[in-house]
């Protein structure tokens, strides 16, 4: 089942269950995917869909941080529910050990020797872990390995 089909199916289920949070979140995801499709002018590839989902996820994480900073627990809780729904459409996240192994393999593939090769390693690494690991976490591991 494609992501679009899954979203439409979940939207129908949320409507029937009167689950407003899920319905609104799924509609936002659908809208973001449609906007990207229109912007690019073609049907989205799985990679492009993942990029949109990552953007939606990051947006909600930033909102949670802002709401928490502003002592708006009610809005933070609501956004956490949305974040959980968005993460449900994303691929399974890599564990710390799995990510560490991929970083080590990539460093040896690229032949990186020191910190100056950071960019080369990241360029080779990110397509391998796209959507399955946080970029900040990946870059921190690469820095640790190269130092």
């Amino acid at each position: 089942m494609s992501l679009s089909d899954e979203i439409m199916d979940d939207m129908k289920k949320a409507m029937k269950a009167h689950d407003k949070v899920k319905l609104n979140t799924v509609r936002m995801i659908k809208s973001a995917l449609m906007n990207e499709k229109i912007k690019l002018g073609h049907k989205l590839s799985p990679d492009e869909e993942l990029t949109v989902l990552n953007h939606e996820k990051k947006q909600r994480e930033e909102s949670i941080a802002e709401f928490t900073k502003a002592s708006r627990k009610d809005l933070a809780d609501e956004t956490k529910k949305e974040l959980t729904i968005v993460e449900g459409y994303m691929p399974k996240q890599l564990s710390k050990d799995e990510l560490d192994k991929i970083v080590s393999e990539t460093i040896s593939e690229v032949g990186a020797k020191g910190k100056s090769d950071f960019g080369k390693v990241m360029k080779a690494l990110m397509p391998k872990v796209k959507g399955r690991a946080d970029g900040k976490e990946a870059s921190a591991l690469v820095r640790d390995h190269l130092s």
Side-chain angles (χ1 to χ4, degrees):
M1 183 185 297
S2 74
L3 181 62
S4 300
D5 294 338
E6 189 178 345
I7 285 175
M8 286 303 293
D9 190 46
D10 287 349
M11 203 160 78
K12 288 175 190 174
K13 288 177 185 173
M15 281 182 197
K16 288 178 183 176
H18 300 289
D19 185 348
K20 287 185 179 181
V21 175
K22 182 158 187 163
L23 180 61
N24 288 337
T25 305
V26 172
R27 280 182 174 159
M28 281 187 250
I29 294 169
K30 183 178 181 229
S31 174
L33 289 167
M34 284 300 293
N35 287 339
E36 189 68 13
K37 179 181 174 183
I38 291 167
K39 183 176 131 191
L40 296 176
H42 60 79
K43 191 171 190 258
L44 297 180
S45 69
D47 251 5
E48 292 165 335
E49 290 175 341
L50 192 56
T51 301
V52 172
L53 287 174
N54 273 327
H55 177 73
E56 293 294 310
K57 178 184 175 204
K58 198 172 287 187
Q59 208 173 34
R60 280 159 181 78
E61 288 170 342
E62 290 170 0
S63 295
I64 290 168
E66 289 297 317
F67 292 145
T68 304
K69 193 169 95 176
S71 301
R72 291 296 308 265
K73 187 179 178 338
D74 56 328
L75 293 174
D77 290 343
E78 185 87 9
T79 309
K80 284 177 186 171
K81 290 176 189 172
E82 290 179 9
L83 179 61
T84 305
I85 294 165
V86 171
E87 288 173 338
Y89 294 107
M90 300 183 77
K92 182 180 168 288
Q93 297 294 298
L94 293 170
S95 71
K96 188 97 166 155
D97 293 336
E98 291 170 325
L99 182 58
D100 194 61
K101 182 181 175 200
I102 294 171
V103 167
S104 298
E105 290 170 358
T106 305
I107 288 173
S108 58
E109 281 174 22
V110 174
K113 302 286 185 244
K115 288 184 179 181
S116 61
D117 296 324
F118 177 81
K120 281 197 291 188
V121 174
M122 288 302 291
K123 186 176 180 182
L125 175 69
M126 288 316 288
K128 294 179 184 179
V129 300
K130 184 175 185 170
R132 299 184 307 148
D134 183 43
K136 291 176 187 173
E137 190 178 333
S139 78
L141 275 174
V142 170
R143 277 198 179 84
D144 290 347
H145 281 273
L146 292 178
S147 59

